[in-house]
Amino acid sequence: MLVNQRQGIKQGSEKNHDPKTYDTVRSEIITIINKKVESIDHIGEHSSLITDIDLDSIEVVELITKFEDKFGIQIPMDRLTELKTVKDLERLIFSLIQKKHM
Amino acid sequence: MKLHCKTIPEALVKAAASSDADRGYTFVSEDGKNESFYSFKELANQTARHAGALVQLGLAKGDRVGLIVPQNEEFVLNFLGAMYARLIPVPLSPPLNLGQLGLYLEQIKHILKASETALLITVPQIKSVLGSLLGSTINKIITIDDINVSTDKLAFTPPAENDFAFIQFTSGSTAKPKGVALTHKNLVTNAHCIMNLGIQASEQDVGCTWLPLIHDMGLIGFVLSSLLTKTPVVFLPPLRFLKRPVEWLQMITRHRGTITFAPNFAFGLCTKRIGESELEGIDLSSLRVAGCGAEPIALATLEKFAQKFSAVGFQKKAFLPCYGLAESTLAVTFAEPENSLKGDYVSLESLTRENVAVLVKPGSSGAANILCCGKPFEGHELRIYDFRGQICKEREIGEIVIRGPSVMSGYFNNKEATDEAIKDGWLYTGDLGYLQDGELYVCGRLKDLIIISGKNYYPMDIESTASEIEGVRKGNVVAFGVQDIGHSNERVVVCAETKNDSRSYPELEKKIKTKVREVFGIKIDDVLMLKPGSLPKTSSGKLQRTLAQKLYLNGELGVSKKGQGKLSLFILWTKSQWNFFKHRG
């Protein structure tokens, strides 16, 4: 029971995103990762987020933010431990997008 | 030094009694959409309620209370509540998101044991992963929801100034966690130094910070120090800053912030990540202090920040380089306000060869910039000792040692580590620097510690993690950072022995890099795989990290690269001199 004052912060208008198909989401995710990682090996659906993507903890947050901005969703940080492959990431993001449009 | 109160709870009570209703702490919510404001009066009320609830749980004066609470608002109320009830809070970091839980639990276990913590307060999500600690390491784990804050306020009994106020664990080392035990006197003294002598805070000041409150810069620098001067502070969740650095600048704009602090990397992150389009509406003209510390400061990083954000009112003279360490509460020296990033250009060659910082022209070859971090605070002494334990001349480089009321009485329950750090009342910081006109210039680190983005990592932890990989010879791994002047982030190097065929080296290198990144969230710049027996050892079979580092830097270990880390080589040389004299003396 808090007796303090709460105030809203004005934020920029959120962009409206059309519902996307799973395939579009996948290709957009892979494009974002490849742009960020600049790896010699091409990152694909079955790439491991742990062994194939060389990012430190701050860069991981940056990548997550890129997905949030692109798809207009919020990715809870405590869900990240579940993610092992790019495919896991696709599924999580796709489900968050669907939830948003429900 | 004249202090107007002796303990932190007294400072809170005084702020509550004597400040206007519009002064206090504001917490930005985790989703960034709301702010909750506590006037100092309301903060004191809530603190007293939390204190009452903690006492009701059966805790008594001096009991240690572990806190793993990631939300700023709840953390502050429970932390201050514990202090108010004369308990000793022990802040602990939440698990790393992509990290491995095993190592995290191991670290928490060591810290809880070393601090003999009676009760751990956390949030439900974290409690569920801490189950294995219950019984063996700790008797009771509760969540913030279990704390019944609707109970009556606890009547205020001030602690004694020499009572321990809280314990700050600086080392995540699994082997020997070291908890800096700070008294109320330490805290109030350092808070006075920071707010009154360093920043020279006035009624008009407003603090704005995204710093994690489990570290000294955020916790002592903002939560505790600001009580002394009744300075309003706005707290942004650290993750919000890391996700969108512009939110730091937005909060400063929104609240007309005048004071902020951050490690070097944060200013770099802003320059890199904030796009021109995000600058619309940003106004940093109110900011008069942008403190920078907690890791080596690179002039280039700060200059780039100033260049980019001068368009939105940032004034370069707001930068305030400072030096400090947890063992001396927080702050040791502050540069003079508005000194406009005063610094020396010194010859790297003479610095590393002759132990002296010889001035050269900026831009000449081999010139390195070292920023001035100012003078020690009133009532504190600072000296530079050479390896013989003698005081250095001006501009001669040696170990920074300090003495005064901000220096901890010791590590909690760890006499061995305390005796190593404090001799005759002087704290040996393990940092290297020189003095000019009484002002400190920090050059590097003697102690085995790697700092990345303001966070400390211990070579031993990285070594034991790499040792766990199949194919790596257990215990035959060394890790170290390579420091260079003018670079704030150091390069991390791991050298590991293996019995495997050299064809397997690339695969092992990748495994080591992946594992360290997974566990610590940092990148290794270079992994060097070696044949058994390559790493130097003492006659008793102990690994010689320092010697291995020297061989690496000289290109004498495997096929390592030569020509980098001049500063590191100099530090190694200094260390060897130090040890030589220590053994003779």
Side-chain angles (χ1 to χ4, degrees), chain B residues 421-432:
Chain B
I422 303 174
K423 291 167 192 125
D424 300 324
W426 289 93
L427 171 71
Y428 286 68
T429 63
D431 290 315
L432 282 174

Side-chain angles (χ1 to χ4, degrees), chain B residues 21 28 76 166 181 192 252 275 294 297 316 385 449 451 457 514 554:
Chain B
V28 178
V76 167
F166 85 103
H192 168 72
I252 292 169
I297 308 168
K316 193 171 154 190
Y385 278 171
L449 179 70
I451 306 184
Y457 300 90
T514 303
N554 281 328

Side-chain angles (χ1 to χ4, degrees), chain B residues 27 30 68-76 94 123 125 144 213:
Chain B
F27 299 94
E30 299 296 309
I68 312 183
V69 181
Q71 296 81 8
N72 285 341
E73 184 173 338
E74 294 298 334
F75 176 85
V76 167
V123 291
Q125 303 92 300
I144 48 174
L213 302 187

Side-chain angles (χ1 to χ4, degrees), chain A residues 10-22:
Chain A
K10 267 188 248 157
Q11 292 196 323
S13 61
E14 278 178 30
K15 281 177 207 133
N16 240 335
H17 297 267
D18 295 329
K20 291 174 194 281
T21 65
Y22 192 91

Side-chain angles (χ1 to χ4, degrees), chain A residues 1-12:
Chain A
M1 193 194 68
L2 297 174
V3 247
N4 54 354
Q5 304 163 17
R6 252 175 203 285
Q7 271 192 336
I9 299 171
K10 267 188 248 157
Q11 292 196 323

Side-chain angles (χ1 to χ4, degrees), chain B residues 12-121:
Chain B
L12 173 61
V13 169
K14 275 197 176 167
S18 66
S19 66
D20 302 335
D22 62 347
R23 299 179 82 80
Y25 289 171
T26 303
F27 299 94
V28 178
S29 63
E30 299 296 309
D31 65 6
K33 290 181 180 154
N34 290 292
E35 294 188 339
S36 36
F37 171 75
Y38 292 77
S39 66
F40 284 118
K41 195 170 174 200
E42 188 49 35
L43 187 69
N45 275 337
Q46 287 296 332
T47 296
R49 288 208 175 90
H50 277 75
L54 290 172
V55 170
Q56 276 204 339
L57 289 166
L59 295 165
K61 179 177 185 272
D63 279 350
R64 268 78 67 200
V65 179
L67 284 178
I68 312 183
V69 181
Q71 296 81 8
N72 285 341
E73 184 173 338
E74 294 298 334
F75 176 85
V76 167
L77 294 176
N78 283 291
F79 182 88
L80 290 176
M83 261 190 183
Y84 188 97
R86 296 188 295 166
L87 307 169
I88 304 175
V90 182
L92 296 157
S93 48
L96 262 179
N97 292 306
L98 287 173
Q100 285 193 333
L101 206 55
L103 188 104
Y104 172 74
L105 288 175
E106 201 56 29
Q107 290 184 359
I108 294 294
K109 205 161 110 182
H110 282 285
I111 291 175
L112 291 175
K113 277 196 170 156
S115 57
E116 294 166 6
T117 291
L119 169 86
L120 182 63
I121 302 173

Side-chain angles (χ1 to χ4, degrees), chain A residues 2-7 9 11 50-51 53-57 59-62 65 68-69 77 81, chain B residues 32-38 42 73 97-98 239 243-244 265 273 453 510 514 517-518 521 523:
Chain A
L2 297 174
V3 247
N4 54 354
Q5 304 163 17
R6 252 175 203 285
Q7 271 192 336
I9 299 171
Q11 292 196 323
I50 296 157
T51 52
I53 298 177
D54 188 19
L55 299 177
D56 65 26
S57 53
E59 291 167 330
V60 168
V61 174
E62 186 185 347
T65 313
E68 292 187 346
D69 290 348
M77 292 307 276
T81 37
Chain B
K33 290 181 180 154
N34 290 292
E35 294 188 339
S36 36
F37 171 75
Y38 292 77
E42 188 49 35
E73 184 173 338
N97 292 306
L98 287 173
L239 191 61
K243 279 183 154 184
R244 293 176 181 82
F265 90 90
R273 297 257 305 270
S453 299
K510 192 174 174 192
T514 303
R517 202 179 56 231
E518 229 183 313
K523 280 190 205 172

